[in-house]
Amino acid sequence: MINVKKDETKKKITKATIELLKEKGYKGTTTREIAEQAGVNELTVFRHFGSKEGIIQAIVQTTSFSLGIFQESIEWELEKDLTNFGYLLLKDFDNNRDMISIALKDPVIFSQVHEEIIKKVNGMKDILKEYFEEMQRRGYIKELDYCTQAEILLSTYWGYFMYKLNFGDKALHADYQDMIKNSIKTFVKGVSLH
């Protein structure tokens, strides 16, 4: 029971921190404001996290991406696999939108978050590169620079996500399902042997 209450308190503090960082930025957010927003006293914030930086580190550790799910669901059908990858990737970006938004506002202050995002994106790139190499070995796609192909695909989704993050749905012609479907069709035509 004590651990459940402790976890709930930590969640309140991290949620309050994210909201304040989005609104005021790192320098404009104080531990006192975090405590007030979370409905706890400032001592509780320090007891659980030690400092504002400690809260940021805890938030970074909770960011997760679905790399394993993609690898487990591969069917070796290019269009189907890449469509699944697109859905998982955009879902991951969306689930981590607050942290991505905060990290991009000030990459120097949020260097740990920034580095974690880069690490996750590089992990995705490696998985895609290995997938493309195996698809080529199986005779399904052309021999290409697979690292660049992975970067092209990731850039497409990152660009869509950033466009949506900055301008909202009103500025977009296609929803994410149409964007994935159409971008994958174009990509598959470019790399397929058939």
Side-chain angles (χ1 to χ4, degrees), residues 72-120:
E72 294 165 11
S73 64
I74 292 174
E75 296 182 28
W76 305 110
E77 293 180 34
L78 188 61
E79 192 167 336
K80 191 181 234 182
D81 290 339
L82 294 182
T83 298
N84 182 41
F85 180 82
Y87 282 115
L88 290 171
L89 186 61
L90 284 176
K91 180 181 169 194
D92 284 344
F93 287 161
D94 202 46
N95 287 341
N96 294 294
R97 87 176 18 245
D98 290 338
M99 282 313 302
I100 291 170
S101 179
I102 290 166
L104 294 176
K105 282 183 181 176
D106 195 337
V108 175
I109 291 175
F110 295 102
S111 62
Q112 184 184 5
V113 179
H114 205 259
E115 288 301 314
E116 192 65 24
I117 291 168
I118 291 169
K119 190 165 60 172
K120 303 279 187 189

Side-chain angles (χ1 to χ4, degrees), residues 75-187:
E75 296 182 28
W76 305 110
E77 293 180 34
L78 188 61
E79 192 167 336
K80 191 181 234 182
D81 290 339
L82 294 182
T83 298
N84 182 41
F85 180 82
Y87 282 115
L88 290 171
L89 186 61
L90 284 176
K91 180 181 169 194
D92 284 344
F93 287 161
D94 202 46
N95 287 341
N96 294 294
R97 87 176 18 245
D98 290 338
M99 282 313 302
I100 291 170
S101 179
I102 290 166
L104 294 176
K105 282 183 181 176
D106 195 337
V108 175
I109 291 175
F110 295 102
S111 62
Q112 184 184 5
V113 179
H114 205 259
E115 288 301 314
E116 192 65 24
I117 291 168
I118 291 169
K119 190 165 60 172
K120 303 279 187 189
V121 170
N122 281 334
M124 291 176 215
K125 182 169 56 175
D126 290 342
I127 287 170
L128 270 179
K129 180 180 173 274
E130 290 168 14
Y131 171 78
F132 291 145
E133 288 169 347
E134 181 59 29
M135 288 297 280
Q136 193 273 325
R137 276 193 289 276
R138 292 176 181 230
Y140 295 132
I141 64 173
K142 300 172 188 174
E143 191 168 335
L144 299 163
D145 176 351
Y146 300 121
C147 189
T148 300
Q149 298 308 309
E151 288 174 352
I152 289 168
L153 202 57
L154 287 169
S155 296
T156 299
Y157 294 119
W158 181 253
Y160 180 84
F161 170 75
M162 291 305 296
Y163 198 77
K164 186 173 181 173
L165 184 68
N166 289 306
F167 304 114
D169 290 330
K170 294 176 187 170
L172 296 167
H173 165 72
D175 65 14
Y176 77 96
Q177 293 172 337
D178 286 338
M179 195 283 294
I180 290 170
K181 184 175 82 175
N182 289 309
S183 65
I184 294 301
K185 283 184 188 266
T186 302
F187 188 85

